[in-house]
């Protein structure tokens, strides 16, 4: 009887150990999934957008908008330069650096913008995006933005790199003094990555509505 109890205890201990191991593995899978991105998926590139839970279509105009809605680039009558940096858990492998600028091109508040977005670390995994954008006020209430991107991917020690191009288009439609609609379509040319088994990279469609019922209060849904 005692020998049987010892066997049962050892068996239960092994089962507990297995369950703990499984739970630990599942935990790390969940954490890794929250930190890892597919190639060139959207990453927050603006303090303003991050503060609005990643909203892309309803932010106020700024130079960094080149990476989330080109219709919103530019907010001043002069050259504007914006920067952004984030680094998850102080890991260089997850560092994201953004620098962009916008320049007014005429009195109609049309702008051109240039931007760089770098994610990752050299010799490990590195994404670099160079962007050129412009926006045009077609009417007083309708603005369109176009974005051309050169995207470079370097897999470091695997000695593999690739280069693809992407196009974005964004809109801002003022519906009244208190409301407007925003829209953003990313990578509309459906770029693919890989040679043997090419896969489409991240594409996105966002539409949002902003309403200001009283001064300094905005209600937004995207």
């Amino acid at each position: 009887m005692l020998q049987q109890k010892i066997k049962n205890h050892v068996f239960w201990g092994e089962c507990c150990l297995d369950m703990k191991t499984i739970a630990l593995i599942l935990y790390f899978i969940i954490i890794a999934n929250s930190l890892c991105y597919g190639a060139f998926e959207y990453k927050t590139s603006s303090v303003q957008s991050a503060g609005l839970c990643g909203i892309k279509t309803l932010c106020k105009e700024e130079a960094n908008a080149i990476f989330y809605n080109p219709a919103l680039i530019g907010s001043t009558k002069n050259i504007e330069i914006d920067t952004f940096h984030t680094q998850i858990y102080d890991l260089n492998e997850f560092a994201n650096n953004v620098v962009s600028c916008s320049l007014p091109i005429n009195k109609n508040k049309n702008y051109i913008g240039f931007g760089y977005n770098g994610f990752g670390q050299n010799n490990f995994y590195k994404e670099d995006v160079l962007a050129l954008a412009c926006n045009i006020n077609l009417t007083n209430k309708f603005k369109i933005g176009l974005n051309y991107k050169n995207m470079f991917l370097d897999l470091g020690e695997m000695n593999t790199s690739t280069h693809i191009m992407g196009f974005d288009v964004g809109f801002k439609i003022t519906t009244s003094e208190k409301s407007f609609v925003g829209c953003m379509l990313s990578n509309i040319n459906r770029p693919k990555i890989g040679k043997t088994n090419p896969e489409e990279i991240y594409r996105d469609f966002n539409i949002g509505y902003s309403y200001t019922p009283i001064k300094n209060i905005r209600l937004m849904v995207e």
Side-chain angles (χ1 to χ4, degrees):
M1 176 68 73
L2 180 61
Q3 187 177 9
Q4 182 65 34
K5 289 183 177 180
I6 292 175
K7 288 183 178 179
N8 290 340
H9 179 72
V10 172
F11 175 76
W12 174 248
E14 291 176 351
C15 288
C16 290
L17 180 61
D18 291 340
M19 292 300 294
K20 290 178 181 178
T21 302
I22 292 172
L24 189 62
I25 291 173
L26 290 175
Y27 172 76
F28 280 109
I29 289 175
I30 292 172
I31 293 298
N33 184 59
S34 67
L35 296 179
C36 294
Y37 300 94
F40 300 109
E41 286 195 355
Y42 174 74
K43 304 168 186 64
T44 301
S45 56
S46 160
V47 173
Q48 182 183 185
S49 178
L52 295 174
C53 302
I55 278 180
K56 304 179 188 179
T57 64
L58 305 175
C59 296
K60 294 292 184 67
E61 285 81 356
E62 64 172 355
N64 277 352
I66 191 173
F67 291 109
Y68 60 82
N69 188 351
L72 301 177
I73 60 172
S75 62
T76 68
K77 296 180 180 180
N78 302 308
I79 296 176
E80 177 182 353
I81 298 176
D82 291 339
T83 61
F84 177 82
H85 169 78
T86 183
Q87 192 167 327
I88 300 175
Y89 297 131
D90 200 31
L91 296 174
N92 293 330
E93 292 84 355
F94 294 108
N96 190 37
N97 298 291
V98 179
V99 59
S100 54
C101 69
S102 62
L103 299 84
I105 55 179
N106 56 34
K107 296 181 180 180
N108 295 324
K109 296 183 179 180
N110 299 327
Y111 293 84
I112 58 173
F114 307 90
Y116 166 77
N117 190 340
F119 173 78
Q121 184 180 24
N122 291 326
N123 302 320
F124 180 72
Y125 177 92
K126 190 71 165 65
E127 295 177 7
D128 293 303
V129 180
L130 297 174
L132 170 65
C134 69
N135 63 15
I136 302 171
N137 285 310
L138 298 179
T139 69
N140 291 332
K141 295 185 177 181
F142 186 79
K143 180 185 293 186
I144 183 173
L146 304 173
N147 193 12
Y148 166 74
K149 300 179 296 186
N150 270 310
M151 296 176 280
F152 304 87
L153 177 63
D154 186 357
L155 299 182
E157 294 181 355
M158 296 179 66
N159 294 320
T160 301
S161 61
T162 187
H163 165 232
I164 51 180
M165 295 178 292
F167 296 91
D168 305 331
V169 59
F171 304 92
K172 181 180 179 181
I173 306 169
T174 303
T175 54
S176 71
E177 293 183 356
K178 295 185 176 182
S179 63
F180 69 91
V181 174
C183 182
M184 170 64 180
L185 297 89
S186 66
N187 297 316
I188 58 175
N189 60 318
R190 307 183 73 166
K192 295 183 179 181
I193 192 170
K195 296 180 180 179
T196 306
N197 297 302
E199 296 183 5
E200 288 187 8
I201 67 169
Y202 173 83
R203 289 188 296 129
D204 195 17
F205 171 72
N206 293 74
I207 186 167
Y209 178 75
S210 173
Y211 177 66
T212 305
I214 58 176
K215 186 178 180 179
N216 296 328
I217 297 293
R218 294 177 64 202
L219 303 178
M220 295 172 285
V221 59
E222 182 177 82

